[in-house]
């Protein structure tokens, strides 16, 4: 996977960190640039096709700018830089590339996750780029332009004998830690039922309240696998260097679940954003953004406007 040329590989980063006494977080920052300067950020060219698709008379929150809300929930998707005020990560980088494509300056607005729907409806920002999954319920109020797959990750201890988890039978008999009432739990219960019906062992789900407890359970050997959003575990694996990925799981299993730019319903901006994303895919900028944050596994083959979303519960 391509990284910035100045960035050491995962292995090299671990050796360097050990040699000079870096903390795990500092070692992770050798791979993920969390500085406010972002000298390696991927920028894009103006996309005439996408610009032409912006509805005539569309009023941006600030003329000449694309105002985008993002929730700094944690690396590598979005977090505060080392200056504790600049928001950096894969979603901010993608927002910059989209703004470039539309010939606009980016105005990035950090918001709490719970606040983005009301802020978007009330016109505080033009779009939300913050790991928002497409659901049928959300489509009633918002339009979507997809840009990543919604993935969960299967991760195990670095010295585990588990090599790959791709389908239900691969998880038969394994002890897996998840959060209660999560999408991961819902899917894995279905997987376990399939295994039992096929004469295989069920999956043993163990519940822990938070990520720290799940990681302790994995590292202590009380469970075999941790399952939670893929991007989170990519960063943890880089930071701690004692877990590894053995598979991914679509958040919409058995269907694909997409992450998308959210815009106001009927605003007309979604089609322009979809064209901009497809342009970024064609010119290579899209792949560079994902690779920079170790998220190439989450790439989509194309962007779509308002595709089928996760069903209402």
């Amino acid at each position: 996977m391509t990284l910035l040329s100045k960035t050491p590989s995962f292995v090299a980063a671990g050796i360097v960190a050990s040699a000079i006494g870096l903390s795990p977080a500092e070692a992770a920052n050798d791979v993920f640039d969390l500085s406010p300067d972002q000298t390696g950020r991927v920028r894009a060219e103006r996309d005439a096709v996408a610009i032409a698709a912006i509805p005539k008379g569309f009023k941006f929150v600030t003329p000449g700018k694309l105002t985008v809300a993002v929730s700094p929930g944690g690396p590598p998707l979005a977090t505060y830089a080392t200056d504790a005020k600049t928001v950096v990560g894969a979603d901010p980088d993608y927002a910059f590339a989209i703004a470039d494509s539309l010939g606009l300056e980016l105005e990035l607005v950090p918001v709490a996750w719970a606040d983005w729907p009301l802020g978007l409806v009330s016109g505080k920002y033009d779009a939300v780029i913050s790991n928002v999954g497409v659901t049928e319920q959300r489509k009633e109020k918002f339009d979507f332009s997809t840009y990543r797959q919604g993935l969960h990750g299967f991760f195990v201890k670095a010295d585990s004998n588990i090599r790959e988890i791709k389908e239900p039978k691969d998880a038969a008999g394994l002890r897996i830690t998840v959060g209660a009432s999560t999408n991961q739990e819902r899917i894995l219960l279905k997987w376990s039922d399939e295994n039992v019906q096929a004469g295989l062992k069920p999956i043993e789900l163990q519940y822990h309240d938070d990520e720290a407890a799940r990681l302790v359970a994995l590292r202590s050997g009380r469970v075999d696998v941790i399952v939670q959003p893929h991007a989170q575990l990519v960063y943890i694996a880089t930071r701690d260097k004692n877990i590894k990925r053995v598979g991914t799981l679509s958040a919409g299993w058995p269907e694909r679940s997409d992450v998308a730019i959210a815009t106001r319903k009927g605003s007309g901006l979604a089609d322009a954003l979809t064209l901009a994303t497809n342009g970024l895919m064609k010119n290579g900028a899209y792949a560079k953004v994902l690779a920079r944050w170790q998220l190439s596994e989450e790439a989509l083959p194309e962007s779509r406007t308002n595709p089928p979303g996760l069903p209402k519960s």
Side-chain angles (χ1 to χ4, degrees), residues 253-273:
W253 182 89
E255 304 299 328
R256 193 179 78 199
S257 174
D258 291 343
V259 171
I261 307 171
T263 50
R264 290 185 297 280
K265 189 73 177 178
S267 70
L269 192 58
D271 286 338
L273 296 172

Side-chain angles (χ1 to χ4, degrees), residues 3 6-24 26-32 237-239 241:
L3 293 173
K6 66 178 182 180
T7 303
S9 68
F10 280 50
V11 174
I15 295 172
V16 171
S18 176
I20 65 178
L22 291 177
S23 70
E26 289 170 326
N29 289 353
D30 279 347
V31 176
F32 296 108
T238 307
R239 180 192 68 194
K241 303 188 183 342

Side-chain angles (χ1 to χ4, degrees), residues 155-259:
F155 280 65
V156 300
K157 290 173 64 176
D159 61 355
S160 172
N161 291 326
I162 299 170
R163 294 288 177 258
E164 186 176 55
I165 299 176
K166 292 180 62 178
E167 53 188 323
K169 67 181 180 62
D170 298 331
L174 296 181
R175 301 167 299 167
I176 300 180
T177 175
V178 296
S181 301
T182 61
N183 195 37
Q184 300 96 287
E185 179 201 26
R186 176 187 65 82
I187 295 170
L188 290 174
L189 286 173
K190 291 183 178 179
W191 276 32
S192 188
D193 288 344
E194 284 193 15
N195 284 336
V196 171
Q197 292 171 11
L200 301 173
K201 291 182 178 180
I203 297 170
E204 181 184 330
L205 295 185
Q206 295 191 19
Y207 298 94
H208 298 90
D209 292 337
D210 55 41
E211 179 181 276
R214 288 191 285 275
L215 288 170
V216 168
L218 179 65
R219 291 162 182 157
S220 66
R222 296 199 301 273
V223 299
D224 305 303
V225 185
I226 182 173
V227 179
Q228 63 184 52
H230 173 255
Q232 297 173 359
L233 291 171
V234 166
Y235 181 79
I236 292 168
T238 307
R239 180 192 68 194
D240 298 347
K241 303 188 183 342
N242 56 13
I243 64 173
K244 64 182 180 181
R245 180 178 58 214
V246 293
T248 57
L249 171 68
S250 170
W253 182 89
E255 304 299 328
R256 193 179 78 199
S257 174
D258 291 343
V259 171

Side-chain angles (χ1 to χ4, degrees), residues 5 14 30 53 71 77 82 84 97-98 111-112 126-127 152 154 187-188 216 224 226 241 265 280 288 299:
S5 59
D30 279 347
S71 177
L77 294 180
T82 52
I98 286 291
V111 300
D126 303 307
H152 303 310
F154 291 106
I187 295 170
L188 290 174
V216 168
D224 305 303
I226 182 173
K241 303 188 183 342
K265 189 73 177 178
L280 293 170
K288 290 177 182 177

